[in-house]
Amino acid sequence: MQNEPKRHIESLIERMSLEEKIGQLTLAVAGPRMTADLRVAVRAGRVGTLSHLWGREHCEGAQRVAVQETRLGIPLLFGADVVHGHRTIFPIPLAEAGTFDPVLWERTARAAAEEATADGLNLTYAPMLDVTRDPRWGRIAEGPGEDPWLAACFAIAKTRGFQGEDLAETTSLAAIAKHLGAYGAVAAGRDYASVDISERSLRETYLPPFKAAVEAGVSSIMPAFTDLAGVPMSANVGVLRDLVRTKWGFEGVYISDYNAIPELKEHGVAADIADAAALALRAGISIDFMGAAYERGLPKALERSTVSEDDLNDAVRRVLHLKWSLGLFDDPYRRPASETKLAQPLSMGRRELARDAARRSIVLLQNRGHVLPLRAVARIALIGPFADARSEMLGPWASAGNSDDAVGILEGVRSAFPTAQVCHARGVDIDGD
């Protein structure tokens, strides 16, 4: 840490109350609008990060409370799931990985970062780097697939695209590599199930993308909800501290997954919320995502001496350093120079980039009888509920994407073949029995 930020950060830590320190470690979900209770919590210094609040007006309003109405004036982080685009939606990561093009991956992440930062965000819960080889796992759509080398290339490109050359630039979005480690190897593809694999598989298959992200300078890492060979990742000192911090040299912030710290009780390793908070803090987790575990548990853990003041200060120091790296202490509002242009939804340049990425993401598995590409045809039949489902075209975690801007398959085919008779049979409901 350079001298200027170090002096400023240490000065802040010396002046902080216990409540203010824990506040810097607390992430609360605010979106889509700031509530009166949350405004009170920010004003009291009990919240350091807000999630899923976007829109320049809303973010600046919340930031104004933090900077102008709190005792120490420490700015907020604003995070959201900008996984495959913000307002302009790009192909889901699993599809985009099929292009085998790191330049494209970086370009789509850069475009998403420009839109998200213009909307007031400075943190994204992406890239998702979980290697998975079991198609039963529903979250496979969010990651780059089955190959660790490809996933490592994806990690580097997405980290560079989101963060740019300098985190302090107003269009840079701090990236969070998730979910360390081996989340994609859950038993039977069941989300939240246990992970029990060999040490060789862990190191050769599931960890390389995260190591690549660290080497690319990723700002933060999110541990998985799950356990690894019986040890929950949210309390896994062997992986989080001994391997990633000490051996890999990761200096950034660990952010828990949603409510993951209180769930240490369900894992059976914590007797109460104070135990859970102590285990997570000692493992190195700096930000508690919507669990209120640090707020409720750390004061008691400090009384019990299951964590130390040094553990707490180290976590606060990392959060403050991330805020410094983002330039928030100099410019809490991070207004882009070309703010108006960037905030425009679906600019032609980004829309064309999305089209190009979509064309190149299509993977044709079979083409029996050389039916494709379609040429002069009189009748076309589309079968199934997804043919006419605009909202489903956005995919999961579509951030601020608007389904009104999407083009469904049925209307797209009718547009491409205006003289053909295009028939659609829905068959079943998407969410039906």
Side-chain angles (χ1 to χ4, degrees):
M1 195 183 295
Q2 296 176 349
N3 288 334
E4 183 183 359
K6 183 176 181 180
R7 281 195 299 267
H8 185 73
I9 289 168
E10 295 305 321
S11 173
L12 282 173
I13 291 174
E14 287 175 9
R15 294 155 56 201
M16 280 178 164
S17 66
L18 174 60
E19 184 179 54
E20 288 167 333
K21 288 179 180 179
I22 294 174
Q24 287 303 304
L25 311 186
T26 299
L27 186 158
V29 173
R33 298 291 179 264
M34 184 90 154
T35 64
D37 288 346
L38 197 50
R39 188 177 297 274
V40 170
V42 171
R43 188 177 289 117
R46 300 201 311 271
V47 174
T49 305
L50 292 179
S51 187
H52 289 81
L53 179 74
W54 60 66
R56 177 62 60 179
E57 178 184 353
H58 301 296
C59 290
E60 287 195 1
Q63 193 71 288
R64 198 171 294 114
V65 175
V67 173
Q68 299 180 10
E69 301 179 29
T70 63
R71 190 173 73 89
L72 298 174
I74 300 172
L76 295 164
L77 293 169
F78 295 96
D81 290 282
V82 184
V83 176
H84 58 109
H86 179 58
R87 292 191 181 276
T88 304
I89 303 302
F90 299 99
I92 61 171
L94 184 62
E96 196 182 31
T99 67
F100 297 94
D101 187 350
V103 174
L104 177 67
W105 302 335
E106 185 172 341
R107 288 181 66 205
T108 56
R110 181 93 294 269
E114 289 173 351
E115 287 188 343
T117 52
D119 245 352
L121 297 170
N122 47 45
L123 184 71
T124 175
Y125 313 126
M128 199 265 243
L129 303 175
D130 298 305
V131 172
T132 183
R133 294 170 175 179
D134 189 336
R136 293 175 297 182
W137 188 49
R139 298 195 70 173
I140 191 172
E142 301 169 51
E146 64 183 0
D147 183 77
W149 178 81
L150 183 71
C153 295
F154 190 85
I156 295 167
K158 289 300 181 183
T159 298
R160 288 175 176 169
F162 285 132
Q163 297 191 169
E165 295 184 1
D166 182 356
L167 266 183
E169 292 292 328
T170 56
T171 58
S172 291
L173 196 61
I176 302 173
K178 66 182 188 184
H179 309 81
L180 185 72
Y183 185 29
V186 286
R190 295 180 179 272
D191 208 23
Y192 279 48
S194 186
V195 174
D196 198 352
I197 56 177
S198 70
E199 186 73 11
R200 177 179 178 181
S201 291
L202 175 67
R203 292 180 181 271
E204 291 187 0
T205 302
Y206 297 97
L207 291 182
F210 292 93
K211 190 170 189 291
V214 169
E215 291 171 351
V218 76
S219 79
S220 310
I221 293 175
M222 181 179 287
F225 286 112
T226 45
D227 70 272
L228 180 62
V231 181
M233 287 307 306
S234 297
N236 200 314
V237 173
V239 174
L240 301 188
R241 281 196 178 275
D242 298 344
L243 177 63
V244 179
R245 279 236 191 273
T246 303
K247 292 188 178 179
W248 292 1
F250 175 63
E251 294 291 337
V253 171
Y254 281 120
I255 299 178
S256 83
D257 210 332
Y258 193 99
N259 201 46
I261 297 176
E263 288 174 4
L264 291 173
K265 293 185 294 180
E266 275 63 56
H267 279 284
V269 299
D272 57 22
I273 199 66
D275 272 356
L279 286 167
L281 192 69
R282 290 204 308 269
I285 294 182
S286 294
I287 294 180
D288 171 17
F289 191 156
M290 204 55 192
Y294 283 172
E295 182 180 5
R296 293 183 291 134
L298 282 182
K300 179 65 72 175
L302 286 163
E303 287 178 16
R304 295 175 180 172
S305 298
T306 51
V307 291
S308 68
E309 192 78 19
D310 287 343
D311 294 326
L312 178 60
N313 289 345
D314 180 67
V316 174
R317 188 175 291 116
R318 293 182 191 278
V319 174
L320 294 179
H321 189 259
L322 175 57
K323 293 181 177 185
W324 182 282
S325 299
L326 283 163
L328 292 172
F329 285 101
D330 291 330
D331 177 14
Y333 306 105
R334 301 181 87 227
R335 297 185 180 97
S338 53
E339 176 183 342
T340 303
K341 178 182 176 183
L342 289 176
Q344 290 293 326
L346 299 180
S347 76
M348 287 309 297
R350 288 193 294 274
R351 187 157 192 157
E352 186 51 44
L353 176 61
R355 284 199 185 103
D356 183 50
R359 291 185 195 104
R360 296 169 60 194
S361 294
I362 294 168
V363 177
L364 180 63
L365 300 182
Q366 290 183 334
N367 191 12
R368 291 177 180 170
H370 301 288
V371 170
L372 299 176
L374 294 176
R375 295 183 176 86
V377 290
R379 300 182 68 200
I380 301 171
L382 295 175
I383 314 298
F386 287 102
D388 190 18
R390 274 189 171 201
S391 61
E392 300 298 336
M393 298 300 99
L394 297 180
W397 303 105
S399 197
N402 185 346
S403 60
D404 290 341
D405 297 320
V407 178
I409 297 171
L410 178 61
E411 61 185 313
V413 171
R414 282 176 173 162
S415 175
F417 298 93
T419 62
Q421 179 186 359
V422 181
C423 308
H424 172 226
R426 183 178 180 84
V428 297
D429 292 329
I430 293 171
D431 296 320
D433 294 331

